[in-house]
Amino acid sequence: TLRRWKDAERWGEEALALAPGDFTAASRLAWIQYSQAQWPKAEQLYRRVLAGWPASAEMRAGLAWSLLKQGRNKEARAEFERVLAFAPDHASAREGLTLVP
């Protein structure tokens, strides 16, 4: 499939500008940044979403992966463990936790 990340990023930023607190726009833009290896930007967006929705397992796992990719292992481990504390079967968090050095 053709991945048009730059177009998606632009659309996501436009959507977020129109609806700054929108979960869907911010979460999609976080994934777009992560997918482009823009891990600090992804981290910032995941934190922004979590400020409004702190119990989102997907967003917390995304934050953890972003931290892991930045080599912030202690923080990543803590976030993966937070996900697994309330979603023990979360596959992405389980996988991430096994990769933390």
Side-chain angles (χ1 to χ4, degrees):
T1 63
L2 178 61
R3 298 198 179 217
R4 297 172 54 182
W5 293 118
K6 289 298 177 188
D7 288 341
E9 181 179 4
R10 182 174 41 82
W11 296 327
E13 288 170 351
E14 289 173 7
L16 206 51
L18 293 171
D22 186 74
F23 176 89
T24 303
S27 65
R28 297 302 187 268
L29 189 53
W31 172 248
I32 290 163
Q33 296 296 357
Y34 181 89
S35 298
Q36 295 182 96
Q38 298 295 319
W39 298 305
K41 288 181 181 180
E43 175 194 352
Q44 181 183 33
L45 286 159
Y46 282 122
R47 288 189 188 281
R48 180 175 174 177
V49 175
L50 285 166
W53 292 272
S56 172
E58 288 304 312
M59 295 300 99
R60 192 154 307 278
L63 172 60
W65 278 100
S66 297
L67 293 167
L68 182 62
K69 294 292 188 175
Q70 293 177 74
R72 294 163 57 192
N73 299 329
K74 184 177 179 181
E75 293 171 87
R77 178 180 300 282
E79 293 299 336
F80 284 131
E81 288 174 347
R82 285 178 77 182
V83 172
L84 294 170
F86 64 87
D89 295 328
H90 195 279
S92 177
R94 284 198 172 283
E95 178 187 352
L97 192 57
T98 67
L99 297 175
V100 177

